[in-house]
Amino acid sequence: MEKDARDIFKEIGLRVTPQRLEIFKILASMHGHPAAEDVFERIRRRFPSISFDTVYRTLSLFENHGLIKKVHHLADKTRYDTNLKRHHHFVCIRCKKIIDIEWDEIDGIPMPKGVENLGRVEDRYVELRGICKDCLNEEEE
Amino acid sequence: MEKDARDIFKEIGLRVTPQRLEIFKILASMHGHPAAEDVFERIRRRFPSISFDTVYRTLSLFENHGLIKKVHHLADKTRYDTNLKRHHHFVCIRCKKIIDIEWDEIDGIPMPKGVENLGRVEDRYVELRGICKDCLNEEEE
DNA sequence: TCCTAAATAGGAATATATCTTATTTAAAAA
DNA sequence: TTTTTAAATAAGATATATTCCTATTTAGGA
């Protein structure tokens, strides 16, 4: 997010509103991985009457234009895993289907440098994200 | 989940209730990655008066004893990522902190066999799960 | 069989996210 | 610059997921 927010919005055909500019600025300045609520708390300082809806709408908008990303594609409801065998997942970003995959080679790769300073790693989890067969077929029609 | 549910419960010191036995059975029979609601719909056939609370409580209980796992550790609220550079995450399973990590070696590993039948993979995402430095320090005290 | 702590049902409460509608505003057109 | 209009916003209602509260029931030990 280097360029001026105003230019970025114009490039992708978005109206330039003060709320959007401010949310953009907040996101750029906020390290960590904010939730909508965090953004809301911050922007309220400048726009005390801003609504939650505007924040959510703007975050969606930014996401749809690739300016930000959701950390997970399955944040709507908690899903449980009954397969206790070590495995990873293929997740369809369209229909949210989850398919188990085995991928032992993952465990062989050395940790990236510096991770030991972050904490104690207890597990490695890999998610292959894409479009599942069913959704690809529907697309064709 | 091979053993008799009754024995498993006793081993880990849980009371054996009809609701728990049934939920356990449902989980074992249900492939896919059910949400609490899915389990609720199924168990209602046999226990029409069961409450949502019992389902949630039982799922938590099973999770705490390692009988099932949540697919994600961050399912409570949507978190956004403002770092558009390709990266992965270290996630603290205790405080839910997310820390960006770079790990290019991941891209070099060949896909596991059979993935091409599942759909089109568009991205690989890795999550290192563990306990962060802050939580480890608190633990010591 | 009795007793007690634990589990449950039912509904209330909370949290997150989206929708509805009247009002305001950005920005294109005049 | 002024006018026009579709898009954006605020406010609150609504939807959905999850947890909490409390009276009642029950598992399992005494």
Side-chain angles (χ1 to χ4, degrees):
Chain A
M1 295 207 203
E2 303 90 47
K3 256 178 296 188
D4 185 53
R6 195 175 296 269
D7 296 334
I8 295 178
F9 292 174
K10 283 185 179 161
E11 263 175 42
I12 54 185
L14 301 180
R15 286 198 178 181
V16 178
T17 72
Q19 291 91 338
R20 279 179 191 167
L21 287 171
E22 184 67 14
I23 290 176
F24 187 92
K25 204 169 113 192
I26 286 172
L27 286 171
S29 76
M30 228 175 174
H31 289 121
H33 300 77
E37 199 190 349
D38 303 319
V39 176
F40 180 69
E41 290 307 333
R42 282 278 310 264
I43 195 170
R44 234 140 77 96
R45 300 182 197 162
R46 296 215 180 189
F47 296 81
S49 69
I50 196 167
S51 72
F52 241 114
D53 184 59
T54 298
V55 173
Y56 277 110
R57 228 182 330 97
T58 306
L59 290 173
S60 286
L61 188 78
F62 287 178
E63 197 207 352
N64 291 336
H65 288 89
L67 301 179
I68 58 176
K69 287 168 72 177
K70 286 186 181 172
V71 170
H72 285 148
H73 288 87
L74 303 165
D76 46 338
K77 50 173 100 169
T78 302
R79 308 274 298 266
Y80 289 90
D81 214 324
T82 59
N83 176 1
L84 295 182
K85 197 174 168 197
R86 176 154 179 67
H87 69 281
H88 303 279
H89 291 138
F90 173 96
V91 174
C92 178
I93 60 177
R94 190 158 306 164
C95 73
K96 314 300 182 192
K97 187 189 289 108
I98 306 174
I99 305 172
D100 292 356
I101 55 178
E102 288 183 34
W103 201 0
D104 296 334
E105 291 77 10
I106 290 298
D107 298 322
I109 312 158
M111 288 283 187
K113 215 162 61 176
V115 168
E116 62 278 6
N117 300 321
L118 304 180
R120 186 175 69 224
V121 173
E122 299 187 345
D123 193 24
R124 301 176 178 202
Y125 167 71
V126 179
E127 214 166 81
L128 295 180
R129 295 169 171 178
I131 314 286
C132 73
K133 263 286 164 28
D134 294 345
C135 288
L136 286 175
N137 288 339
E138 273 190 25
E139 212 170 56
E140 280 178 22
E141 293 155 25
Chain B
M1 295 205 201
E2 305 91 45
K3 254 177 297 187
D4 186 54
R6 196 175 295 270
D7 296 335
I8 296 177
F9 292 174
K10 282 186 179 162
E11 264 175 42
I12 54 186
L14 300 181
R15 287 197 177 180
V16 178
T17 71
Q19 291 92 336
R20 278 179 192 167
L21 287 171
E22 184 67 15
I23 290 176
F24 187 92
K25 203 169 114 191
I26 286 171
L27 287 170
S29 76
M30 231 176 172
H31 290 122
H33 300 77
E37 200 190 349
D38 303 319
V39 176
F40 180 69
E41 289 306 332
R42 282 276 311 263
I43 195 170
R44 234 142 75 97
R45 300 181 197 164
R46 296 215 179 186
F47 296 81
S49 69
I50 197 167
S51 74
F52 242 112
D53 185 58
T54 297
V55 173
Y56 276 110
R57 231 181 328 97
T58 305
L59 290 173
S60 286
L61 189 78
F62 287 178
E63 198 207 353
N64 290 338
H65 288 89
L67 301 179
I68 57 176
K69 288 168 73 177
K70 285 187 183 173
V71 170
H72 286 146
H73 287 87
L74 303 165
D76 46 336
K77 51 174 103 171
T78 301
R79 310 273 299 267
Y80 290 90
D81 213 326
T82 58
N83 176 1
L84 295 182
K85 198 174 167 197
R86 177 154 180 67
H87 69 280
H88 303 279
H89 291 137
F90 173 96
V91 173
C92 178
I93 59 178
R94 190 158 306 165
C95 73
K96 314 299 182 194
K97 188 189 287 109
I98 305 174
I99 305 172
D100 292 356
I101 55 178
E102 288 183 34
W103 202 359
D104 296 334
E105 292 76 11
I106 290 298
D107 298 321
I109 311 158
M111 287 283 186
K113 215 161 63 176
V115 168
E116 62 278 5
N117 301 321
L118 304 180
R120 186 175 70 224
V121 173
E122 299 186 346
D123 194 23
R124 301 176 176 202
Y125 166 70
V126 179
E127 215 167 80
L128 296 180
R129 296 169 170 179
I131 315 286
C132 73
K133 262 286 165 27
D134 294 345
C135 288
L136 286 175
N137 288 339
E138 274 191 23
E139 212 170 55
E140 280 178 20
E141 290 156 27

